[in-house]
Amino acid sequence: MRCKYCQTEDIKPSGSVNGRKLVKCNNCKHRFMENDSLPKMRVNKHVIVSAINLYYEGLSVRKVSRQLSEIFGEKVSQMTVWKWLQKYSKLVSGYVKTLSPQLSGKWHHDETVIRCDGRNEWFWEMIDEDTRFLVASLLSQDRTLKDTIEVFRKALETSKQRPQALFVDGSHTYDRAFNKVFYTRYKVNRVELVKRVGIRARETNNMVERLHETLKERTKIMRGFKNEDSAKLILEGYAINYNYARPHLSLKGKTPAQEAGIEVKGWKTLIENAIQNETIGTQANTQRAVEAVQVVQ
Ligand SMILES: [Zn+2]
């Protein structure tokens, strides 16, 4: 058995609470119940992982709740499913930011307008051509320079590397945002802005259509969100599901992340790694605090 927090195997019995056995980790010092659940959760982790999987594969929260009862015999309210989605999408979103995908550097940008709770919203996304890795996605109320810059910056943050070329739709102007984010006066690392017009547009048409397929799927999930913050969080979760959990047909069953050299796959591993990452981060902070106190003394 491994520690729920830091994944090391150095654990020992440590008393009990209400007749249930506790163990303590010698590495991170956490004390927890010896069962197959995530830290501070009552429900088995397979139930939580399944809920997250089912939701991001397109089931509504109501249907997820019903499926959990049918598959696991667990009564889980819609509110609880909703809380899990928010909690673990946020946790894993922080963790995947620490990973560095190896991308082809040919980024395809697209955006589409959708009806969201009675008003129009913009959906933006940028996909790396060879790996199909989703480097950025965004939900915004307008299509302004500021929004465009935000998408471009997000993509740079995710990839941690400048692309070779950025492919955009020829019908909208991206030059200002592009220059703001990607311009360099040096000859190396120069990014090419390619507008999809004429022959070029026909050549990349298939690619763009496939992009739109994923976009359409996503908008199905995003509809009906009243709260902008939760919509954004769920969008991040969807991006994680797309990059790290779902096998891609054109990648011979691999995920875009695997194609980009990251072996981490599926929500279970993502959540475990995220918790481990957080624990190690806390440990390091504590250690630094201790050292700081010692220096002062
Ligand atoms: Zn531990």
Side-chain angles (χ1 to χ4, degrees), residues 3 5-6 8 25 27-28:
C3 169
Y5 292 86
C6 71
T8 59
C25 171
N27 178 43
C28 72

Side-chain angles (χ1 to χ4, degrees), residues 20-35:
R20 302 178 77 172
K21 277 185 189 146
L22 292 176
V23 289
K24 189 177 175 182
C25 171
N26 279 329
N27 178 43
C28 72
K29 312 295 179 203
H30 276 100
R31 209 165 159 238
F32 53 91
M33 226 164 263
E34 200 180 358
N35 58 15

Side-chain angles (χ1 to χ4, degrees), residues 4-5 7 36 38 45 91-92 267-277:
K4 283 180 194 184
Y5 292 86
Q7 300 291 327
D36 212 4
L38 295 162
K45 74 175 156 204
L91 178 77
V92 173
W267 281 99
K268 182 175 160 284
T269 313
L270 285 167
I271 291 170
E272 285 170 353
N273 287 5
I275 291 166
Q276 183 184 15
N277 213 41

Side-chain angles (χ1 to χ4, degrees), residues 21 43 118 280:
K21 277 185 189 146
V43 178
I280 293 167

Side-chain angles (χ1 to χ4, degrees), residues 140-159:
S140 70
Q141 297 196 357
D142 299 299
R143 182 163 73 160
T144 62
L145 178 64
K146 195 178 132 275
D147 300 311
T148 317
I149 289 172
E150 194 181 336
V151 180
F152 289 0
R153 288 224 167 106
K154 261 184 112 173
L156 267 187
E157 255 172 52
T158 307
S159 74

